[in-house]
Amino acid sequence: MGKRNVSADARFDFDSIVIGGGSGGYAAARTLAAAGQRVAVIDGAETLGGLCILRGCMPSKALLYAAEVRHLARHGVTWGLRPGKVGFDFASVMRRKDEMIRNFAEYRQGQLADGRFSLVRAHAQFLDAHTVQLNDGRKLRARNFVIATGSVVRPNPVPGLDAAGYITSDEALELKRAPKSLIVLGGGAIGIELAQFYQRFDTRVTLIQRSEHLLREFDHDAADVVTASLRAEGMEVFTGTHLVGAERLGPKRKRIVFQHGGKERRVEAEEILFALGRIPNTAKLGLANAGVATEHGCITTDADMRTTARNIFAAGDCTGPHEIVHIAIQQGEVAAKNILAGRRRAKIDYRLLINVVFSDPQVATVGLTEHEAKRRGIKFLTASYPFNDHGKSMIMDVQHGFVKLIADPRTGEILGGACVGPHGGELIHEVVVAMAKRMTAAELAATPHYHPTLAEIWTYPAEELAEQVAR
Ligand SMILES: Cc1cc2nc3c(=O)[nH]c(=O)nc-3n(C[C@H](O)[C@H](O)[C@H](O)COP(=O)(O)OP(=O)(O)OC[C@H]3O[C@@H](n4cnc5c(N)ncnc54)[C@H](O)[C@@H]3O)c2cc1C
């Protein structure tokens, strides 16, 4: 920490302390420091950078891109190419990812250490609402806090799995060799992305999902397209299962036993990937000492990102339920603005919540899904259009997927969008912008689109909705 900062108020070492220097914490600290506050960021990690950069979004997407390049190369016959066998060097695939991650992490580490705030390398625990105890023995006091301590892998509930041994996404992103076979437990975004990555590097993958559908938070039509695509690539996918147990059969042989369709089934593989979710990293923070309440481990906040203690705010995965980077950043900024604000309070707004799964086809949504609209009793109109009937995607030989818009039946305002198909994570942003400006389907339909592009596919459901609203 070098020299000790002296807050304007001598009772405190800092105006604000941010616990956790990942996406949410860094966003909060940057905003507070830019407004002239004396800020400390406390982070106990051995390597700084946060989950997204070190073990989350960036390494997984770097690997998925490599898998996509190989997949396309192998399927070049469609376009008249003769690729033959497209081999690979798994160590090189991992090495390129490692280099990217080192660069991204160094950049973030530089930002954390550039002097705008005091960087404290320690674990913190609350003693009271204004004081934290560090694991190096020091105590620090601040007027305000932002808690941004992220998430950890959920404890394993599967009998026998601890003894059998398993890997989590952390290890799956670091393996030196692709296993010959892999059982993936969990059909959420992380499970599906890593399952497809290994499948495309010749691992025989079995995916086991407890719910009836993969990606259970998405509309079923989207999940069904992904399920069909994974199966078409040779993955064995089981949904609607109940996990009974696991056992180790030998040094490279593990078994999962599960119920499916009224029968007990057994699958064996070299490795098991546990992808049954993450939980907020809040258990060791001494939150009760500070009067900060939690619900199922998630720090309770209001729309200001304020916790149940008036001077303590929270951001990112530790607040749940959206484990998404741009949300962590928004929440960090809202928390910081409200520490600074006085009366003009900032509020977090999930109207434009974006979700992307980087499978192939990608699944992306913004705003309302049909499922959510029905659950909340919101009246809506919907229109969709398939990629296999659209010029640019036919050039790309896209066989599966669709785009869908959801609109207010009275005004035509776009309330949500979904895209299951090529570059879905990019394409969805057209709807994000339209929704940010509260555009109607008619306005989106009338917006010029270059031909032939993937983006122009949005004009079809937009036109259909505009007609429905006009009737
Ligand atoms: C495999 C995988 C892929 C993902 N892909 C995507 C994606 O494509 N897109 C997306 O939006 N999201 C993705 N996510 C989720 C995303 O990574 C997280 O939502 C995001 O990184 C959370 O940021 P955060 O600031 O809340 O926490 P983190 O980045 O985890 O930061 C928390 C920090 O707090 C520190 N800390 C914890 N406890 C203490 C303590 N007591 N004292 C001091 N410091 C402490 C930790 O050391 C850590 O640096 C992915 C996650 C995983 C696991």
Side-chain angles (χ1 to χ4, degrees):
M1 193 167 51
K3 62 180 184 300
R4 183 177 152 99
N5 274 300
V6 181
S7 167
D9 185 334
R11 287 175 300 160
F12 301 117
D13 299 293
F14 296 97
D15 297 320
S16 295
I17 287 180
V18 179
I19 308 177
S23 305
Y26 175 70
R30 178 186 59 190
T31 311
L32 291 164
Q37 278 215 341
R38 291 170 185 276
V39 180
V41 175
I42 304 178
D43 198 309
E46 210 170 294
T47 309
L48 290 178
L51 181 66
C52 170
I53 293 174
L54 299 173
R55 294 178 305 281
C57 333
M58 301 312 280
S60 57
K61 268 80 256 184
L63 293 181
L64 282 166
Y65 191 70
E68 188 180 336
V69 171
R70 176 165 196 248
H71 180 79
L72 272 179
R74 291 175 78 193
H75 292 80
V77 172
T78 307
W79 296 276
L81 311 180
R82 290 202 198 124
K85 184 177 179 325
V86 182
F88 62 89
D89 171 9
F90 196 73
S92 300
V93 172
M94 285 290 177
R95 203 159 38 242
R96 183 169 193 278
K97 178 266 300 174
D98 290 340
E99 280 163 19
M100 314 249 52
I101 298 317
R102 200 173 311 117
N103 285 338
F104 295 139
E106 278 171 12
Y107 186 72
R108 172 52 53 82
Q109 288 153 10
Q111 288 177 314
L112 284 168
D114 67 8
R116 281 173 294 162
F117 17 77
S118 296
L119 178 61
V120 182
R121 305 289 299 268
H123 280 282
Q125 200 174 31
F126 283 97
L127 292 177
D128 60 49
H130 289 285
T131 318
V132 282
Q133 170 79 60
L134 306 186
N135 63 338
D136 61 12
R138 287 180 290 172
K139 285 180 193 165
L140 291 177
R141 284 177 58 74
R143 181 185 295 281
N144 294 295
F145 284 86
V146 180
I147 308 171
T149 49
S151 56
V152 289
V153 172
R154 175 183 296 283
N156 157 44
V158 184
L161 187 57
D162 287 335
Y166 61 93
I167 59 171
T168 69
S169 59
D170 289 0
E171 293 82 27
L173 295 168
E174 298 282 337
L175 290 186
K176 300 281 174 269
R177 187 182 64 77
K180 287 205 166 44
S181 51
L182 179 70
I183 299 168
V184 178
L185 302 180
I190 294 174
I192 287 179
E193 289 178 4
L194 289 169
Q196 193 169 40
F197 165 72
Y198 278 104
Q199 176 79 31
R200 287 184 165 186
F201 279 104
D202 296 350
T203 299
R204 198 165 41 77
V205 177
T206 308
L207 186 85
I208 303 176
Q209 161 79 331
R210 292 184 292 191
S211 312
E212 288 299 329
H213 294 266
L214 299 185
L215 299 173
R216 66 191 166 92
E217 273 138 36
F218 289 77
D219 284 341
H220 293 164
D221 51 3
D224 289 347
V225 174
V226 177
T227 310
S229 302
L230 295 177
R231 285 188 174 138
E233 287 185 21
M235 195 183 297
E236 216 176 347
V237 180
F238 294 96
T239 57
T241 68
H242 170 71
L243 292 169
V244 176
E247 54 190 317
R248 178 181 276 270
L249 305 173
K252 286 192 179 170
R253 209 78 207 141
K254 298 171 184 185
R255 175 187 283 161
I256 290 285
V257 183
F258 61 102
Q259 295 278 348
H260 180 251
K263 289 195 196 125
E264 185 165 285
R265 303 191 69 126
R266 288 151 190 257
V267 284
E268 293 171 16
E270 186 180 329
E271 193 51 274
I272 298 169
L273 168 61
F274 179 89
L276 293 175
R278 300 179 65 88
I279 55 168
N281 181 16
T282 54
K284 296 181 190 154
L285 286 173
L287 294 177
N289 299 337
V292 174
T294 58
E295 218 178 313
H296 306 297
C298 301
I299 296 177
T300 309
T301 59
D302 58 16
D304 298 11
M305 300 316 300
R306 192 190 296 270
T307 71
T308 46
R310 280 206 61 71
N311 66 316
I312 302 178
F313 294 73
D317 285 7
C318 64
T319 67
H322 308 297
E323 292 166 3
I324 301 174
V325 167
H326 76 275
I327 296 293
I329 293 171
Q330 267 175 275
Q331 291 174 333
E333 287 170 353
V334 166
K337 282 179 190 161
N338 286 325
I339 286 174
L340 299 166
R343 279 200 197 159
R344 288 194 52 208
R345 288 157 52 204
K347 285 195 186 304
I348 189 80
D349 179 6
Y350 297 117
R351 185 177 71 88
L352 298 180
L353 183 73
I354 313 167
N355 250 304
V356 179
V357 184
F358 291 86
S359 47
D360 181 7
Q362 293 185 1
V363 186
T365 60
V366 58
L368 272 188
T369 58
E370 277 190 62
H371 172 76
E372 185 62 12
K374 282 178 193 153
R375 194 185 65 80
R376 287 165 50 188
I378 298 171
K379 290 206 169 80
F380 65 94
L381 291 174
T382 181
S384 61
Y385 201 83
F387 275 106
N388 65 8
D389 189 35
H390 174 60
K392 179 62 191 282
S393 41
M394 286 163 79
I395 290 170
M396 295 165 72
D397 192 39
V398 176
Q399 306 288 352
H400 309 284
F402 58 88
V403 290
K404 177 164 70 173
L405 289 175
I406 292 174
D408 183 318
R410 207 173 39 84
T411 63
E413 181 181 334
I414 300 167
L415 303 176
C419 177
V420 188
H423 305 291
E426 310 293 334
L427 288 177
I428 198 68
H429 288 85
E430 173 159 350
V431 186
V432 178
V433 173
M435 284 179 61
K437 292 292 164 199
R438 294 196 177 273
M439 281 172 71
T440 63
E443 285 168 330
L444 180 62
T447 306
H449 285 75
Y450 206 83
H451 176 74
T453 59
L454 288 173
E456 65 182 340
I457 194 171
W458 288 117
T459 59
Y460 300 115
E463 276 166 15
E464 193 183 322
L465 283 176
E467 280 169 22
Q468 287 187 46
V469 173
R471 266 182 229 140

